[in-house]
């Protein structure tokens, strides 16, 4: 069977569009989560902030302007079908060209520096951070998830002892959110990765943020842990924008992976209230 071909230029155009849409259009599930939080929030300040977030999302969508001034590091997830051939250019360069175009044409803030110590701005928000999986089929799925610096800075990883178990995991996640306080612009979404290795747990935590907001894990024990953590986090009283209230987090999403008998890696990746990601299938 001949391979299906996809032009690099098509990938570039798609990534550019996704970069802009992700920054302009907050997902409907996030809007619903704000509206549901309004019905539960007992803080008048918290209610006012949630209403402002809803208004901010409306203006961003209707006027095609960024919902936040931090338009993020362009994190791109690729699922590449093994029966696909990219023609007319390099796959990763096509993605980076799409980021370059999207952030320039969309008037999105350029936040990437070329060296972590010299810190000269690259001027076009490239390079992207690209995660690639080879999957069955003849399609390419592209997900663009702009990640703001404030929330990313509040993330962490810990190599627990297996004996620490569920209670150790809960303690670490709650501690991470509590120490973050107002810094990640709550209400937040908490991505948790459990298992794998040091780097796999961190990737799992980031991938957890791509799940539709509030959709529970298909594993009953993990779904139960998500509910427990969400209740405990919202019991901290941090509230919207850290000014107090019941709505510190909109959701907790957990992804797991098998791990070594000697290890229990746990990673937390926090997303701000602007839980942004858009996807397309070519």
């Amino acid at each position: 069977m001949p391979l299906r071909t996809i032009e690099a230029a098509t990938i570039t155009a798609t990534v550019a569009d996704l970069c802009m849409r992700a920054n302009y259009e907050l997902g409907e599930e996030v809007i619903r989560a704000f509206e549901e939080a309004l019905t539960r929030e007992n803080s008048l300040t918290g209610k006012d902030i949630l209403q402002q977030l809803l208004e901010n999302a409306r203006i961003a969508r209707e006027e095609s302007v960024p919902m936040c001034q931090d338009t993020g590091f362009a994190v791109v997830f690729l699922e590449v079908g093994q029966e696909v051939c990219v023609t007319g250019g390099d796959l990763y360069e096509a993605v980076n060209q799409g980021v370059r175009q999207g952030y320039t044409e969309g008037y999105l803030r350029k936040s990437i520096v070329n060296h972590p110590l010299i810190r000269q701005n690259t001027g076009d928000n490239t390079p992207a951070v690209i995660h690639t999986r080879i999957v069955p089929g003849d399609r390419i799925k592209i997900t663009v998830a702009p990640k703001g610096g404030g929330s990313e800075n509040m993330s962490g990883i810990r190599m627990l002892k297996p004996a620490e178990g569920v209670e150790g995991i809960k303690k670490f996640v709650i501690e991470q959110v509590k120490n973050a306080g107002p810094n990640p612009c709550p209400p937040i979404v908490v991505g948790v990765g459990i298992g794998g290795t040091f780097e796999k747990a961190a990737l799992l935590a980031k991938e957890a943020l791509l799940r539709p907001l509030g959709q529970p894990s298909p594993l009953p024990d993990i779904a139960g842990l998500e509910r427990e953590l969400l209740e405990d986090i919202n019991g901290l009283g941090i509230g919207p924008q850290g000014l107090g209230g019941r709505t510190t987090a909109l959701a907790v999403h957990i992804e797991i992976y098998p791990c070594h008998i000697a290890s229990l890696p746990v990673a937390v990746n926090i997303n701000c209230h602007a839980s942004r990601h858009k996807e397309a299938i070519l």
Side-chain angles (χ1 to χ4, degrees):
M1 180 183 294
L3 294 177
R4 176 170 175 259
T5 61
I6 297 178
E7 285 287 332
T10 301
I11 294 169
T12 292
T14 301
V15 170
D17 177 65
L18 292 174
C19 286
M20 291 185 280
R21 289 179 50 225
N23 275 290
Y24 300 160
E25 303 169 10
L26 198 57
E28 288 301 321
E29 76 277 13
V30 185
I31 299 295
R32 286 195 298 272
F34 286 159
E35 292 170 341
E36 290 169 6
L38 264 172
T39 67
R40 298 188 303 268
E41 183 55 64
N42 56 8
S43 161
L44 292 178
T45 300
K47 284 180 177 291
D48 184 57
I49 291 169
L50 289 167
Q51 288 169 338
Q52 289 183 47
L53 293 178
L54 283 166
E55 177 68 2
N56 181 72
R58 182 192 65 78
I59 292 170
R61 180 186 295 270
E62 292 181 0
E63 299 187 11
S64 294
V65 293
M67 64 189 77
C68 176
Q69 88 285 351
D70 185 350
T71 53
F73 208 128
V75 181
V76 180
F77 294 85
L78 300 175
E79 292 184 14
V80 181
Q82 61 190 14
E83 297 168 22
V84 170
C85 177
V86 176
T87 59
D90 172 82
L91 173 60
Y92 283 8
E93 179 49 39
V95 170
N96 278 309
Q97 181 61 18
V99 172
R100 190 174 292 118
Q101 289 182 11
Y103 274 75
T104 300
E105 295 170 12
Y107 298 98
L108 306 177
R109 194 182 82 182
K110 288 77 174 175
S111 303
I112 305 309
V113 295
N114 67 343
H115 186 297
L117 300 179
I118 298 171
R119 306 191 74 79
Q120 180 179 352
N121 198 298
T122 63
D124 57 14
N125 222 62
T126 66
V129 166
I130 305 172
H131 302 289
T132 307
R133 291 175 57 216
I134 304 300
V135 298
D138 62 356
R139 299 286 187 269
I140 296 179
K141 180 180 178 181
I142 304 172
T143 304
V144 174
K147 193 64 168 65
S151 61
E152 188 73 357
N153 289 349
M154 297 299 105
S155 304
I157 189 166
R158 186 168 294 175
M159 305 301 288
L160 299 180
K161 297 179 179 67
E164 293 180 79
V166 172
E167 290 307 312
I169 292 168
K170 291 169 64 176
K171 181 179 178 181
F172 171 57
V173 175
I174 297 297
E175 175 187 296
Q176 199 68 29
V177 174
K178 186 176 181 179
N179 289 342
N183 294 316
C185 296
I188 57 177
V189 181
V190 184
V192 181
I194 304 173
T197 53
F198 177 84
E199 80 284 3
K200 180 65 174 179
L203 182 56
L204 287 170
K206 180 143 285 169
E207 289 175 337
L209 297 174
L210 302 179
R211 193 196 305 168
L213 193 67
Q215 181 184 93
S217 167
L219 302 173
D221 60 330
I222 299 303
L225 182 55
E226 290 173 339
R227 289 193 297 271
E228 287 182 47
L229 282 168
L230 182 61
E231 183 176 346
D232 290 347
I233 287 169
N234 283 331
L236 294 172
I238 296 169
Q241 295 299 295
L243 296 176
R246 299 176 60 184
T247 316
T248 299
L250 298 173
V252 176
H253 292 169
I254 301 173
E255 297 294 333
I256 67 169
Y257 198 81
C259 61
H260 193 280
I261 56 173
S263 301
L264 180 56
V266 183
V268 175
N269 195 217
I270 294 176
N271 225 352
C272 65
H273 67 269
S275 185
R276 303 168 288 191
H277 50 86
K278 295 293 180 187
E279 65 183 46
I281 298 177
L282 301 177

